[in-house]
Amino acid sequence: MPPRNGNLVLAAAAAALLVLLASPPSCSAAAPRRRDPVVVPVTRDPATSLYTIPVRYYDNLVVDLAGPLVWSTCAADHLPASLSCQDPTCVVANAYRVPTCKVTGGGGDCSKNVCTAYPYNPVTGQCAAGNLAHTRFIANTTDGKNPLIQVSVKAVAACAPKRLLARLPRGATGVAGLAASGLALPAQVASSQGVAGRFLLCLPRLGYGQGVAIFGGGPIYLGEGLPDFTTTLDYTPLVAKRDNPGYYVTANAIALDDARLPLPRGALAAGGVALRTAVSFGQLRPDVFRPFVREFEKGLNRSDAKVAAVAPFPLCYRASMLGNTRIGYFVPAVRLMLAGGKNYTMTGTNSMVDVKGGKACLAFLEMKSGDAASSPAVILGGFQMENMLLQFDSEKKRLGFARLPFYTSCSNFNFTKTQ
């Protein structure tokens, strides 16, 4: 059955709004008042180590910092989007197709205003054809301290077959792409709700409750009497990649405590540092990984505590023999020395992971595939971002970051409504 006229209007408005967002504001027009940001809880799945957010009463989507689309298996009330293949929204939906996705067709018919996109599972690498549909996400506004008012966020999502859910958390119905793309969730929330084009992400540690994501900026308070933690952020420029809407930054060096790693010339310049929530643990390209592990072992200098490695981790120790502090095991701090002069510092909390048998292992893996010329030198996985406050600012093209102090955590946001 063809879509109703109301849907045609909505589709045209969505496309027009995407064009408007991409255009500079008029100097003669008064800037509209920004509304309250939108908040959602973030949950870490114990079986997969992936993170999910609720977007409807019965839908949880996997958080994917590198994903350009929102996609799900689509409920019956999703309305088909009447969009020609030349419509700006359809063009945006197909702007960042994963190079390995060889699927064609899928039901899109330009003559009938049906736009087909190609949603992608970031864990399995599989993709599928799926038509765009109109939907709404249910969330709450926030003052940075508590949820305030429930809102319905208009959005466009790709519908995918259920087989694309393979290896995602049980109960997940799709993926919420958070990349710097016009149809990723942050841009759609900004468009629908009139909030700023930036978002905060605070990933929880397993077993400590929910973390938090705030679309539209700050503030954010993580405990009674504590400050707005957006005031503690350091910043580094985000680096745009051609044909890739993911988030990248530049590292000038890697240090263990204050000792810089002896890396091959230009190793970090090639590929930079990527941030990816669909990757559980940090990954280093082989030319960076090998000196990193060697120097970490040398810097820790605890051969008496070393034990057999536990796959997939390269270096493991008897946990009881490593000193434990408020910021994790007493091991060399891993510092990414970023453009702009600030360091992204990972203490034992984000560099060592507990495994069975009373062992603690270095939580970085060697990259196994990819063209060395195009692969990132470093991928920060979800574990390396837990209990870090991150602000992805597409307006100012910068990443804000702060390691939370030991007396609070990402799970300290108060999700009790006050209104």
Side-chain angles (χ1 to χ4, degrees), residues 306-318:
K306 188 177 177 183
V307 296
V310 178
F313 305 106
L315 189 62
C316 298
Y317 294 89
R318 182 68 58 193

Side-chain angles (χ1 to χ4, degrees), residues 19 23 43 74 100 170 228 233 246 268 288 325 335 342 416:
V19 174
S23 304
T43 301
C74 286
T100 55
R170 178 175 301 207
D228 167 19
L233 295 172
L268 297 177
V288 178
T325 73
R335 307 186 197 278
K342 301 298 182 179
T416 305

